[in-house]
Every structure is written in structure tokens, then in C-alpha cells.
């Protein structure tokens, strides 16, 4: 158990819909990272937050947005969903800002029909 | 941003053989070099890491070697076992930067046959 909690574990929805994925980092970790992993694909970096502030952005679509709240949990919002958004979405946390080990959650599997 | 390449993309070995996976990176400022293991249906987990002031680090059957001049580092697994079958990722970055996209390599699928 990494200590990172992601909900929901599985989500099935239709094209055009909007979903929110939630992540609770390990206790004491200030950084949260979001990654997308499609079938047979590697881990695509989406966005990083540190202590409530956005610090780095990858190739995140404009239809996607995220935030980190004062209690350090984070949410990834995906809107106007398309079939190609079906993927595993991972949240990972780190103690500080680029300090070392990333701790990953078990992922949220999104299926868009 | 950092360009990260891993080779090979797939590696099949017999139990007991050794396996080596190489990671090449572009950012000369990178100073932290981790390897992650992802088992089926799970999130990646750190198995070994090295910092730039060290050339090699070993932990039982796994080791990481670093060549900063050539900008590559490698994961070595000796006496492979079926439970080593997984996807392995590298993710080098600059720990001194306040900004990092933490780019992962595309992964190497290791298959260990009994």
C-alpha cells in the first residue's frame, strides 16, 4: 500500500460527459502529479501541483483541468469526454518539490463508450 | 523538456538469466535517476534509484549504473525470477529545479519464463 488513495477505481461513462477523479496523497506529501496511461502506452505526464499551486504542465488537453485543495487532496476534471480519453489515470505524490521518490495510487480506470 | 528513451521495449529471458534495461536522457542537469516497476493492474513502484554523485548502487539482485557523461543509466537484474515479469520505467529529473514534468520512458516489458 503506497498510501496514495484514488477514487473511483473504475468509471464507465458516455461521450460528451464530464467526470471527476479524486486523489488523496500520502500523509505529509505536498506534491501531486497526474499521469495518463493508455493501452500499450507509457505514462504521459499531465500536471503537477505543489502545496496548492500548479507547478508544471504536460500535454494536458484544454478539456482537462485539475486543482489541489488546502487539505492537499487533488481532483482531475475531464470534460466533453471522447472515446480516446479511455485510459488509466494515475495520481502520484512526493514529499517535496522534486525531492525524490514518487508514490503512485492504484489508478482510476476510465472507459468512455 | 527532458527526452527519455528506454531500450529494449520488450525483453524475454529464461529464469536465472540476467536482464539489462537502458535509459537515455537529454537534460544534463538531471541528478536523480530512478527505476519503477509496474505489475499488472497496479501503479508503478520505485525499486531502486541513484543520485548523480554515485556511479553504481546495488540492492540484492538489482543494481543501477550511471554514466553521466554519456547521459544514460541502466537497470541490471540478476538471477531473474518469474515474479520479476513486469513493465519497468525510468524517470530521470533535475531535483534542483522548481519545475519538472517528470517524464517517464515508454517502458520495457520484461518477461521471465520458468
Amino acid at each position: 500500500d503506497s498510501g496514495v488513495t484514488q477514487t473511483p477505481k473504475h468509471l464507465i461513462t458516455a461521450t460528451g460527459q464530464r467526470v471527476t477523479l479524486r486523489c488523496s496523497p500520502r500523509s505529509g506529501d505536498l506534491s501531486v502529479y497526474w499521469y495518463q496511461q493508455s493501452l500499450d502506452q507509457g505514462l504521459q505526464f499531465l500536471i503537477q501541483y505543489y502545496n496548492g499551486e500548479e507547478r508544471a504542465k504536460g500535454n494536458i488537453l484544454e478539456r482537462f483541468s485539475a486543482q489541489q485543495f488546502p487539505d492537499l487532496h487533488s481532483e482531475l476534471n475531464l470534460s466533453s469526454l471522447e472515446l480516446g480519453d479511455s485510459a488509466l489515470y494515475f495520481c502520484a505524490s512526493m514529499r517535496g518539490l522534486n525531492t525524490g521518490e514518487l508514490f503512485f495510487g492504484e489508478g482510476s480506470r476510465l472507459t468512455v463508450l | 523538456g527532458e527526452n527519455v528513451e528506454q531500450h529494449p521495449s520488450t525483453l524475454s529471458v529464461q529464469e536465472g538469466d540476467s536482464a539489462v534495461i537502458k535509459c537515455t536522457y537529454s537534460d544534463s542537469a538531471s541528478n536523480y535517476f530512478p527505476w519503477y516497476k509496474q505489475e499488472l493492474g497496479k501503479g508503478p513502484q520505485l525499486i531502486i534509484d541513484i543520485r548523480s554523485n554515485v556511479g553504481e548502487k546495488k540492492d540484492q539482485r538489482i543494481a543501477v549504473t550511471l554514466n553521466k557523461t554519456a547521459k544514460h543509466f541502466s537497470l541490471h537484474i540478476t538471477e531473474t525470477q518469474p515474479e520479476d515479469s513486469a513493465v519497468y520505467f525510468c524517470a530521470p529529473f533535475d531535483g534542483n529545479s522548481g519545475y519538472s514534468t517528470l517524464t517517464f520512458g515508454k517502458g520495457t516489458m520484461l518477461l521471465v519464463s520458468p
Side-chain angles (χ1 to χ4, degrees):
Chain A
D1 182 6
S2 68
V4 177
T5 304
Q6 288 188 249
T7 57
K9 285 188 171 25
H10 301 275
L11 191 53
I12 301 174
T13 189
T15 54
Q17 295 298 304
R18 173 190 170 95
V19 298
T20 297
L21 309 180
R22 182 188 167 103
C23 169
S24 293
R26 282 192 329 154
S27 177
D29 284 1
L30 299 176
S31 284
V32 168
Y33 299 75
W34 285 97
Y35 286 88
Q36 180 192 56
Q37 187 173 45
S38 304
L39 199 63
D40 296 331
Q41 293 293 311
L43 292 154
Q44 300 297 316
F45 171 77
L46 295 177
I47 199 163
Q48 175 202 11
Y49 283 87
Y50 174 74
N51 205 19
E53 187 182 314
E54 181 187 305
R55 295 305 297 246
K57 228 171 181 177
N59 293 325
I60 186 169
L61 298 171
E62 284 192 15
R63 300 183 286 108
F64 296 0
S65 64
Q67 60 184 127
Q68 187 180 28
F69 294 87
D71 67 352
L72 300 177
H73 91 270
S74 179
E75 292 181 358
L76 178 67
N77 301 298
L78 315 174
S79 61
S80 302
L81 285 168
E82 301 175 359
L83 296 177
D85 297 329
S86 296
L88 252 180
Y89 291 85
F90 283 105
C91 164
S93 72
M94 188 183 284
R95 182 65 66 186
L97 187 61
N98 301 331
T99 47
E101 182 176 357
L102 267 177
F103 294 87
F104 281 82
E106 295 284 288
S108 291
R109 181 170 293 282
L110 173 66
T111 303
V112 183
L113 301 176
Chain B
E2 178 89 271
N3 287 324
V4 181
E5 290 189 3
Q6 270 183 248
H7 294 282
S9 56
T10 307
L11 181 57
S12 294
V13 300
Q14 292 288 318
E15 183 176 359
D17 287 350
S18 293
V20 181
I21 304 169
K22 185 176 178 178
C23 180
T24 304
Y25 60 95
S26 62
D27 186 356
S28 56
S30 291
N31 57 11
Y32 178 67
F33 307 94
W35 284 98
Y36 290 83
K37 176 183 181 183
Q38 185 178 22
E39 297 176 341
L40 202 59
K42 295 192 174 183
Q45 184 175 12
L46 181 78
I47 54 170
I48 196 165
D49 58 8
I50 195 169
R51 295 191 186 266
S52 60
N53 56 342
V54 178
E56 181 174 353
K57 183 177 176 181
K58 204 170 179 181
D59 182 3
Q60 300 184 336
R61 295 186 300 106
I62 60 172
V64 55
T65 57
L66 171 65
N67 184 327
K68 278 214 82 179
T69 304
K71 289 191 275 188
H72 65 73
F73 63 110
S74 298
L75 174 68
H76 304 255
I77 306 175
T78 58
E79 300 170 30
T80 53
Q81 300 169 3
E83 52 265 38
D84 294 329
S85 295
V87 180
Y88 293 81
F89 294 97
C90 62
F93 67 85
D94 175 7
N96 295 324
S97 171
Y99 168 92
S100 174
T101 57
L102 262 180
T103 303
F104 278 70
K106 291 196 184 304
T108 297
M109 180 175 289
L110 174 64
L111 302 168
V112 181
S113 305

